[in-house]
Amino acid sequence: MKKIIILLLLPWVFSCSNENSFPFEEEIIEENDESLSRSYTLYWDISNTCELILQEPINEILSEIMNIPEYEYMYDLILINNTKINYIYIYQDNHNSVAAYEPKFKMMYFRDEYVVHDAFPEEFIHFIQDLAYDGIYGRSKADIEFEAKFFQDCLGLNDGIPLRGIGAQYGKLYMDWLLKIFDQFYVTARVYDTIMEGISGLTYDDFLEDFATKNSSYGIPEHCGARLLEYLYN
């Protein structure tokens, strides 16, 4: 029954060759009675909502990405909205997807436990987009996928890996745009403006169109804005 439901929802699944996404709960830990630090763990009953084989790799990558401020901000958005993924599971489909987030029923799947480390960050981003956009079900996949991949490129999570958000025509300018953004990260509050204005006359929307041309399976952009980026940087 589970697989039948999933197959019916495939057109609206947000996935990538390396994607990821989840919900957790924070726990305050005392250290020498002087300082406090955060630790993160999945906050629902694992036995009911997540295949057990995925628990360890998910918590490992979660603790890794939470060293990055943007992911902490996104984690806080989860807490504020008191929300979670309904089910996390292993599912081998016919489309060779490594991982995916299904927004209608807030489910996430991985091909196996070995892909979680590389796949989790993007699926996590898709889940947060679902909150920032007040629902991404039915929205343009091109918009959602580009924002998620561009965001990962900005954070430099893919060092040594080809850029995810690069398009068909503006490859060099895309890289120059990222470098321009890097120069302002954590230095100015106007990072969002830099992102939106683009570079050399090309705006965020132009790079989105270029990405969609190269990745036609995501469909036609609707230019619904970059609401996650706006939430984080504006």
Side-chain angles (χ1 to χ4, degrees):
M1 181 63 180
K2 177 174 67 178
K3 289 192 176 184
I4 293 175
I5 293 174
I6 294 166
L7 287 172
L8 290 174
L9 295 174
L10 277 176
W12 295 109
V13 167
F14 287 82
S15 65
C16 358
S17 56
N18 284 332
E19 294 193 16
N20 349 57
S21 149
F22 288 83
F24 340 118
E25 169 181 70
E26 72 174 321
E27 176 182 328
I28 301 300
I29 299 177
E30 292 192 13
E31 294 182 353
N32 301 324
D33 296 325
E34 294 180 357
S35 64
L36 295 176
S37 64
R38 302 176 76 172
S39 70
Y40 307 85
T41 184
L42 297 171
Y43 71 78
W44 59 86
D45 182 353
I46 289 294
S47 64
N48 291 329
T49 61
C50 179
E51 291 195 33
L52 292 179
I53 197 170
L54 297 174
Q55 180 180 3
E56 183 176 353
I58 287 172
N59 282 325
E60 286 179 357
I61 183 61
L62 176 61
S63 64
E64 181 178 325
I65 65 175
M66 285 301 157
N67 289 315
I68 300 171
E70 283 80 359
Y71 280 93
E72 273 210 318
Y73 299 155
M74 290 191 287
Y75 174 86
D76 289 338
L77 183 60
I78 292 172
L79 297 180
I80 291 170
N81 285 272
N82 190 30
T83 190
K84 65 180 181 179
I85 298 293
N86 289 328
Y87 193 59
I88 306 167
Y89 57 98
I90 291 176
Y91 179 70
Q92 297 176 346
D93 65 15
N94 296 323
H95 296 76
N96 298 315
S97 294
V98 169
Y101 170 67
E102 189 290 301
K104 186 172 184 179
F105 294 107
K106 291 181 169 43
M107 298 188 297
M108 183 179 302
Y109 75 79
F110 296 89
R111 187 177 63 198
D112 54 52
E113 69 271 28
Y114 303 108
V115 304
V116 169
H117 184 275
D118 289 336
F120 180 86
E122 185 163 336
E123 300 311 327
F124 180 78
I125 291 169
H126 287 323
F127 174 60
I128 302 301
Q129 285 174 315
D130 211 4
L131 299 177
Y133 283 72
D134 192 25
I136 58 174
Y137 179 71
R139 294 183 182 271
S140 164
K141 287 187 68 175
D143 290 59
I144 299 302
E145 293 288 353
F146 176 70
E147 182 183 38
K149 290 171 172 58
F150 166 72
F151 180 57
Q152 290 178 90
D153 289 341
C154 283
L155 296 181
L157 290 181
N158 303 306
D159 292 349
I161 300 176
L163 296 173
R164 297 182 181 218
I166 203 162
Q169 182 178 358
Y170 304 130
K172 174 62 166 61
L173 284 171
Y174 182 79
M175 295 180 68
D176 291 343
W177 183 37
L178 289 175
L179 290 173
K180 177 183 176 183
I181 295 166
F182 288 153
D183 288 341
Q184 295 199 24
F185 258 66
Y186 313 123
V187 176
T188 173
R190 302 188 64 81
V191 175
Y192 181 74
D193 292 342
T194 302
I195 290 172
M196 289 296 106
E197 71 188 16
I199 192 170
S200 298
L202 297 174
T203 67
Y204 178 92
D205 284 347
D206 293 318
F207 287 108
L208 165 60
E209 289 281 356
D210 194 36
F211 170 82
T213 298
K214 183 179 179 181
N215 301 274
S216 58
S217 64
Y218 291 143
I220 300 172
E222 295 177 352
H223 300 285
C224 57
R227 299 187 190 180
L228 175 60
L229 296 174
E230 183 176 10
Y231 170 81
L232 291 172
Y233 296 122
N234 196 20

